[in-house]
């Protein structure tokens, strides 16, 4: 998908307004460098959604690719991404951690990659290194929906979780 979309897939809000793709991750996909690990995580999620696989390879530390290539990423045509939840993000000098859940539909049922991702500052830019994965944690019924609709989970995507 090469054309910008209206709302950014990463779900970023500023001052209560959800950012458009043009205001948010598009600039990183065009070459701007994210200034901290959370922005890199958000831009990488958007790259997964928009299938910008070159960006994913370029922002992955080469020592941690473990054989991952654009061709491998291009071969996945079935993942339907549903929303990103950033749970925690912290930076400590040359390293950073971002805990997130990246929601997707698997055979019509909601599931997530729940991960604590590690990032390193290398040659003036942040790079993803590796992550530790955990079981997904669904939002509570009255929490905001994970798809960023602005509705409560019980009024939106809860049916996909059952």
């Amino acid at each position: 998908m090469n054309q910008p979309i209206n709302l950014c897939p990463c779900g970023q809000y500023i001052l209560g307004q959800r950012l458009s793709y043009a205001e948010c991750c598009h600039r990183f996909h065009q070459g701007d460098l994210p200034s901290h690990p959370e922005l890199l995580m958000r831009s990488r999620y958007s790259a997964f959604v928009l299938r910008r696989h070159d960006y994913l390879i370029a922002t992955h530390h080469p020592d941690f690719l473990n054989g991952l290539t654009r061709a491998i990423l291009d071969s996945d045509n079935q993942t339907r991404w549903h929303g990103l939840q950033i749970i925690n993000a912290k930076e400590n000098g040359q390293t950073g951690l971002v805990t997130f859940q990246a929601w997707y539909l698997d055979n019509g049922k909601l599931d997530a990659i729940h991960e604590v991702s590690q990032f390193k500052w290398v040659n003036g830019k942040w790079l993803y290194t590796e992550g530790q994965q955990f079981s997904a944690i669904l939002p509570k019924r009255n929490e905001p929906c994970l798809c960023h609709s602005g509705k409560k989970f019980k009024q939106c995507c809860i049916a996909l979780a059952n």
Side-chain angles (χ1 to χ4, degrees), residues 50-67:
L50 301 172
R51 302 183 51 74
R52 297 187 184 274
H53 297 150
D54 287 336
Y55 180 80
L56 293 170
I57 298 297
T59 58
H60 201 125
H61 194 294
D63 294 346
F64 294 87
L65 279 170
N66 298 320

Side-chain angles (χ1 to χ4, degrees), residues 62-105:
D63 294 346
F64 294 87
L65 279 170
N66 298 320
L68 183 66
T69 64
R70 179 185 174 161
I72 291 170
L73 292 168
D74 285 346
S75 70
D76 175 20
N77 293 319
Q78 298 170 5
T79 302
R80 287 195 44 224
W81 296 103
H82 204 67
L84 175 68
Q85 291 177 306
I86 300 293
I87 298 166
N88 189 27
K90 57 185 168 183
E91 187 180 323
N92 186 9
Q94 307 292 304
T95 62
L97 293 174
V98 178
T99 305
F100 70 92
Q101 293 192 120
W103 293 94
Y104 62 93
L105 292 176

Side-chain angles (χ1 to χ4, degrees), residues 41 44 48 60 81 87 97-102 104 111-118 128-137:
M41 182 64 241
R44 285 178 56 81
F48 273 108
H60 201 125
W81 296 103
I87 298 166
L97 293 174
V98 178
T99 305
F100 70 92
Q101 293 192 120
Y104 62 93
D111 201 358
I113 297 169
H114 180 178
E115 182 174 300
V116 176
S117 293
Q118 298 177 29
Y128 170 81
T129 58
E130 59 188 344
Q132 181 179 4
Q133 295 197 0
F134 301 91
S135 297
I137 301 169

Side-chain angles (χ1 to χ4, degrees), residues 32-57:
D32 285 358
L33 298 176
S35 58
H36 53 83
E38 181 181 341
L39 284 178
L40 179 56
M41 182 64 241
R42 288 182 175 283
S43 66
R44 285 178 56 81
Y45 174 81
S46 291
F48 273 108
V49 172
L50 301 172
R51 302 183 51 74
R52 297 187 184 274
H53 297 150
D54 287 336
Y55 180 80
L56 293 170
I57 298 297

